[in-house]
Amino acid sequence: MSSEHRDRDESKRLRAESDKLKSQLWAVRDSFSYRLGNLLVEAVVSPGRNTILLPYRLMRLCVTQFKKRKATSAGWPTGKCSTAAKPALVDLKHQIPHETIEAWFRSADYTGIRTVVARDTNLRYANQALDNIMHIASNLEPYRYRLRIDWATERGRQRTWLLYFHSLMVVGYLANAAEVSGDVRYIQKAAAVIESWCDHHHRSAVPPGHAWKIDHAVANRVFNVVHFLRACSVLTDVRFAGSFFEKVCTMLHRHGNWLLDQANYHPNNHGLMASMALTQLALTFPGMDCDGVWKEAGIRRVRERIEADLSAENVHLEHSAFYHLFFLNLVLQVEDYLETRGVTLFEPVDETVEEMKQYVAYMVKPNRRLPMIGDTSDGTLTSHYGNPCVIYSLSEGQEGVRPPNNSMVYPDAGVAILRDEWKKRSDFCQTTYLMFQSKFLTRGHKHADDLGFVLYSHGEDILVGPGVYAYDSSKYRQYVRSAQAH
């Protein structure tokens, strides 16, 4: 490992520790016991005015603590916007009629990131949702209910299932179907799901942990609810109960403050998704963004993640072919979104994206499948990303531009990809391909596979990795990540 890379890792580690300590210090200083002790000490050490004002200050402290506990018992996180930025819309519903809030939502600019795209399968999922069958994600069991959704369900559920359950993916499917078909039934069902989720979190003394423990789920909820509001702005003839948009307003505001809280920001691809969600909230609803702190933090963190999570050769650092593609898709989404809003990420972003795409051309195996390195499932590459070399790889050399080298080495990423040659047409899959890796850059999605490799030759996989299995803590998951499985 180079000294430059060690310095960068050490700098990131120290920055993460500093942020953690700041968050812990703030939590201590904001605690009831600290503030109570501080008042008593001031009254004893500096008597006089402090002693006279002590009863008033104690009463004010108790009222503040009571309000905070009431908010916590309603199931909402209590993260702060900033010391100088009070949540401008937290009491908005008490100041103006709900019709004004509804009109404000309907007139907002919803150009942006959407979790669900228009596909026939997603329309099928929306139709199932009308029959109270919630599609969670591919290869995951759907959720069926009769009268109401049990948002507290956790027993026997995998972490991935809970993540997408609380992502409100069904809202995205329904919003998409409403936009495509113009059928108000889809949007009414989506509204019922959102209101059910909000009501549960207002009533529940102990809200389900996975709703807030996983930043990925929080970000997805923002994307899906904003997608729903976009559909509402198109279907102008649909109407809701007066309190509905007030609930959505409060929900999104609290999500924005949660995403802003440094303690909830993680330096990985989840952090990029959370930053994208925060940016979208800030640009879509500028009235919620106190002094522009959401926008500033969101765009800054997006830039941080793109710079920190890629190697010098612009290879994603999570040791996984799948997550390189996942990260590339996120970068393309956020770049396109910000471009529509007149925001430039940074000047070399086009070069960064093109190098990420070029890596894909070398990374994909001759049979168009992904090498099972790290947390990568046995999937097929379907998008060429408009890159001529990727087009060449996916078309078996019949289209696009032949990559300039047979083999490539990426020292900073610790990856070497070797081919005997780039064949054409019927002989394309007869190539011999080897992918080798030899660095530990991050724990996320990495297996204990240092010095490991995958080998493909003449249309067959010779040596492969074990893949993901599942994102849980089972003994099988522990095994596929272990050195014994590689």
Side-chain angles (χ1 to χ4, degrees):
M1 182 181 292
S2 66
S3 59
E4 179 183 352
H5 186 72
R6 283 196 299 268
D7 291 343
R8 186 177 68 178
D9 284 351
E10 182 65 14
S11 176
K12 289 196 295 185
R13 185 185 66 80
L14 291 174
R15 187 165 58 248
E17 288 185 0
S18 175
D19 290 341
K20 183 179 179 181
L21 289 173
K22 287 179 182 178
S23 177
Q24 291 174 344
L25 177 60
W26 176 259
V28 170
R29 295 183 63 180
D30 193 48
S31 66
F32 176 78
S33 56
Y34 177 90
R35 296 170 68 184
L36 175 61
N38 192 50
L39 290 178
L40 296 175
V41 168
E42 286 181 346
V44 173
V45 174
S46 303
R49 183 171 182 270
N50 289 329
T51 305
I52 295 172
L53 291 177
L54 180 61
Y56 166 74
R57 290 172 175 173
L58 287 175
M59 182 175 64
R60 186 176 62 177
L61 176 61
C62 291
V63 170
T64 302
Q65 183 67 14
F66 174 76
K67 290 181 177 179
K68 183 182 295 187
R69 289 191 176 184
K70 185 176 180 181
T72 303
S73 67
W76 292 109
T78 56
K80 287 185 169 50
C81 186
S82 76
T83 55
K86 302 299 182 184
L89 282 184
V90 82
D91 294 322
L92 182 61
K93 62 185 181 182
H94 302 301
Q95 299 171 15
I96 61 177
H98 70 265
E99 292 87 354
T100 306
I101 298 177
E102 179 176 350
W104 181 57
F105 275 136
R106 290 187 183 278
S107 63
D109 181 1
Y110 292 107
T111 304
I113 305 157
R114 293 190 296 169
T115 305
V116 179
V117 297
R119 293 197 308 235
D120 291 341
T121 53
N122 292 333
L123 291 174
R124 186 174 76 247
Y125 300 150
N127 289 328
Q128 291 175 352
L130 294 178
D131 295 326
N132 295 345
I133 302 173
M134 292 172 57
H135 177 78
I136 304 301
S138 300
N139 303 320
L140 293 177
E141 177 188 1
Y143 177 78
R144 294 174 170 83
Y145 64 99
R146 292 186 179 181
L147 299 178
R148 64 179 186 86
I149 303 170
D150 180 12
W151 295 108
T153 180
E154 290 196 9
R155 182 176 298 177
R157 303 291 189 181
Q158 292 182 0
R159 182 179 183 273
T160 304
W161 191 95
L162 292 166
L163 185 162
Y164 288 106
F165 178 63
H166 286 290
S167 291
L168 300 187
M169 300 301 293
V170 67
V171 170
Y173 299 135
L174 289 163
N176 175 74
E179 287 179 320
V180 171
S181 68
D183 191 334
V184 298
R185 293 180 304 154
Y186 295 117
I187 211 70
Q188 289 169 343
K189 188 67 173 182
V193 173
I194 293 172
E195 189 161 25
S196 169
W197 193 91
C198 290
D199 288 345
H200 171 79
H201 281 72
H202 278 293
R203 290 196 312 264
S204 176
V206 184
H210 285 85
W212 295 104
K213 286 181 181 178
I214 309 175
D215 50 359
H216 188 172
V218 178
N220 275 348
R221 275 201 302 278
V222 169
F223 296 141
N224 284 311
V225 173
V226 171
H227 187 180
F228 161 82
L229 291 170
R230 172 193 169 112
C232 286
S233 69
V234 175
L235 303 176
T236 56
D237 57 336
V238 65
R239 288 290 180 266
F240 302 102
S243 62
F244 174 71
F245 282 108
E246 295 173 357
K247 293 179 182 179
V248 175
C249 179
T250 302
M251 175 190 187
L252 290 179
H253 188 270
R254 293 183 184 276
H255 276 64
N257 281 345
W258 189 96
L259 290 166
L260 179 65
D261 192 335
Q262 187 70 25
N264 301 322
Y265 170 63
H266 300 101
N268 52 30
N269 64 69
H270 287 192
L272 177 57
M273 285 184 287
S275 302
M276 290 165 62
L278 182 61
T279 302
Q280 188 182 46
L281 278 178
L283 295 178
T284 307
F285 310 115
M288 289 190 185
D289 186 7
C290 322
D291 298 332
V293 291
W294 288 3
K295 178 181 176 181
E296 186 280 327
I299 295 176
R300 170 173 49 80
R301 290 173 182 176
V302 165
R303 289 172 175 150
E304 286 176 358
R305 295 276 46 84
I306 294 175
E307 292 176 346
D309 291 351
L310 296 172
S311 71
E313 308 95 354
N314 287 314
V315 177
H316 191 233
L317 298 179
E318 291 190 357
H319 307 280
S320 166
F322 170 82
Y323 280 96
H324 179 87
L325 297 177
F326 184 76
F327 196 81
L328 171 59
N329 289 329
L330 291 178
V331 172
L332 291 172
Q333 284 184 352
V334 72
E335 181 188 19
D336 289 345
Y337 173 64
L338 290 178
E339 186 176 341
T340 65
R341 299 305 183 105
V343 178
T344 301
L345 277 175
F346 40 76
E347 290 305 322
V349 70
D350 291 335
E351 178 183 338
T352 298
V353 169
E354 286 308 310
E355 289 186 359
M356 292 182 74
K357 294 177 181 178
Q358 193 76 358
Y359 175 75
V360 173
Y362 289 100
M363 175 189 75
V364 63
K365 296 189 297 187
N367 61 356
R368 294 180 291 183
R369 302 191 76 81
L370 301 180
M372 293 175 66
I373 295 286
D375 280 343
T376 302
S377 299
D378 183 26
T380 301
L381 180 65
T382 57
S383 175
H384 54 66
Y385 297 103
N387 180 274
C389 292
V390 181
I391 293 173
Y392 187 93
S393 294
L394 295 186
S395 66
E396 298 183 338
Q398 299 182 55
E399 300 176 30
V401 177
R402 181 183 182 274
N405 303 299
N406 290 335
S407 303
M408 284 293 292
V409 177
Y410 303 89
D412 193 48
V415 174
I417 303 172
L418 313 177
R419 293 173 187 259
D420 57 349
E421 61 178 320
W422 290 96
K423 302 184 189 297
K424 291 185 178 181
R425 298 183 183 274
S426 59
D427 293 332
F428 193 87
C429 291
Q430 303 304 307
T431 300
T432 297
Y433 162 104
L434 183 144
M435 183 175 184
F436 171 86
Q437 65 172 14
S438 62
K439 265 193 176 182
F440 184 96
L441 300 171
T442 177
R443 190 177 299 277
H445 300 296
K446 178 174 173 55
H447 293 188
D449 57 356
D450 294 305
L451 305 181
F453 62 92
V454 297
L455 177 63
Y456 168 98
S457 183
H458 291 80
E460 300 288 342
D461 284 310
I462 309 302
L463 294 171
V464 299
V468 177
Y469 177 71
Y471 293 110
D472 59 23
S473 57
S474 69
K475 61 181 181 181
Y476 303 108
R477 170 66 172 167
Q478 294 175 26
Y479 172 75
V480 300
R481 297 191 70 186
S482 69
Q484 290 78 7
H486 298 84

